[in-house]
Amino acid sequence: MFYYLAWRSLEAIARCWRATRDAFGFEPVGAAATLGVVFVERVARRAPGAIGDAARVVSSAAMCARGRGRGGAAERLRDAALATCSHESDFAVACFAGSMFAKMAETERRVREAVGTRASAPATVAFALALGMATNAAAAASARALGYGDACWRGAGGLVFALKTYRARVDYARGYRGRVSFFGFIDVPAETASVAEIVILALMDSSPTALNLYGAGAAVGFMVASFERETMRGLACATRGVKKLLGVALGPSVRVGSRVVLARMRNASLNGNWGIVVETRGDQVTVSLDVDGRNITALRDNLIVV
């Protein structure tokens, strides 16, 4: 079963990567990076020496949702953050990877609209981790209220439900309508699919603690979708702040008068040409070439500032 789920996840990732590239014109690098961060513990724990030991310690210490709320608020938030990247087994990775990638690719498209293309990958990872932390923190609070005692939640299950609900509710708000079928005969509107799935899992006698985590994810996803504009505006502001703090590390900025070299242009004959930036407009930059004085348009990523 593990190898079957792993193969299906790989197929889903490859299919989603192609669909995102063909339909929206970008490679979902942020979605791939999110999977790498969320599932890094399962890989790192196999490493020899200190790295593997540290990963196993993090895994065992990620008690994000201790129902009795041991420790201070800062410690519980820390555990909630660690818990998103800590998993019970490789089976959880095989089960959730494909679904998470598909949802993260759609989320990355929305993040790109808010923060631009250059910062979209790290912003997508940060958004996913914040969503996972909020989901685990909400699961901890609800567990406390429901009296689940020392039950522990960790892994990406809650994050997947948060992303699923977030995506469906935003699509609904933008006027998209659709339906989702379970088992071929249970048909529900797409915007309520995550809730319907939780109900189905409850009827199948799933673990109450797992249902609590999935429900917390659906609630967090609904809240984020309800305030999507504010969330994306806050993400864009945070991204700009980080860019300013790391301006030196990110390299010299492209501004009018900067001397540049062209690279990675689609028209390969332009690569290696020198020029002067004469206009900037978002990610697009106009460069006056030294060789013949022509003005050509390039993306910031195509320029090397010298």
Side-chain angles (χ1 to χ4, degrees):
M1 179 59 73
F2 167 77
Y3 291 108
Y4 171 74
L5 290 175
W7 176 251
R8 290 297 301 269
S9 287
L10 289 174
E11 281 188 326
I13 290 170
R15 185 168 56 249
C16 179
W17 189 289
R18 292 192 298 268
T20 302
R21 182 188 58 204
D22 296 341
F24 304 115
F26 73 92
E27 308 278 352
V29 176
T34 300
L35 258 63
V37 172
V38 169
F39 297 124
V40 67
E41 171 264 337
R42 295 308 305 175
V43 178
R45 65 189 293 123
R46 291 178 171 77
I51 295 177
D53 293 340
R56 285 185 284 273
V57 168
V58 167
S59 177
S60 62
M63 303 298 181
C64 73
R66 287 291 186 183
R68 300 189 187 281
R70 294 174 181 170
E75 291 163 328
R76 290 199 294 274
L77 285 176
R78 177 206 63 198
D79 292 342
L82 288 174
T84 305
C85 306
S86 178
H87 308 274
E88 295 285 349
S89 65
D90 291 340
F91 187 85
V93 181
C95 185
F96 290 121
S99 177
M100 181 183 292
F101 185 86
K103 294 167 180 60
M104 283 308 308
E106 176 65 21
T107 301
E108 184 175 2
R109 183 165 70 92
R110 296 193 172 103
V111 171
R112 285 169 67 91
E113 296 173 359
V115 306
T117 57
R118 299 187 71 191
S120 63
T124 300
V125 175
F127 178 81
L129 292 179
L131 199 63
M133 184 174 69
T135 296
N136 283 295
S142 58
R144 203 175 193 181
L146 294 171
Y148 284 157
D150 281 340
C152 177
W153 291 267
R154 60 187 184 185
L159 174 58
V160 168
F161 272 84
L163 289 167
K164 184 181 301 187
T165 306
Y166 165 70
R167 185 182 67 169
R169 295 302 303 179
V170 170
D171 285 345
Y172 182 80
R174 294 184 178 184
Y176 298 103
R177 300 293 184 268
R179 302 190 72 82
V180 174
S181 176
F182 295 95
F183 310 116
F185 61 90
I186 302 177
D187 191 68
V188 298
E191 64 272 14
T192 62
S194 59
V195 176
E197 187 171 349
I198 292 172
V199 172
I200 292 171
L201 289 171
L203 294 175
M204 294 173 66
D205 199 26
S206 292
S207 162
T209 55
L211 293 174
N212 174 69
L213 177 61
Y214 301 155
V220 169
F222 182 84
M223 290 298 296
V224 173
S226 299
F227 299 96
E228 193 210 13
R229 287 185 179 179
E230 293 79 3
T231 300
M232 289 302 164
R233 193 178 299 124
L235 182 62
C237 289
T239 302
R240 286 194 295 270
V242 172
K243 279 184 177 180
K244 288 181 180 179
L245 290 173
L246 301 178
V248 175
L250 293 175
S253 61
V254 178
R255 51 175 65 92
V256 173
S258 296
R259 187 148 180 76
V260 297
V261 180
L262 299 179
R264 302 181 298 278
M265 297 287 289
R266 288 187 178 180
N267 183 352
S269 65
L270 293 172
N271 291 329
N273 276 286
W274 293 65
I276 301 292
V277 174
V278 296
E279 184 183 6
T280 62
R281 184 175 299 173
D283 281 339
Q284 290 192 337
V285 179
T286 302
V287 178
S288 176
L289 298 179
D290 288 352
V291 64
D292 55 12
R294 278 187 301 152
N295 286 349
I296 60 100
T297 300
L299 297 176
R300 291 176 181 268
D301 290 341
N302 297 123
L303 306 181
I304 300 173
V305 181
V306 293

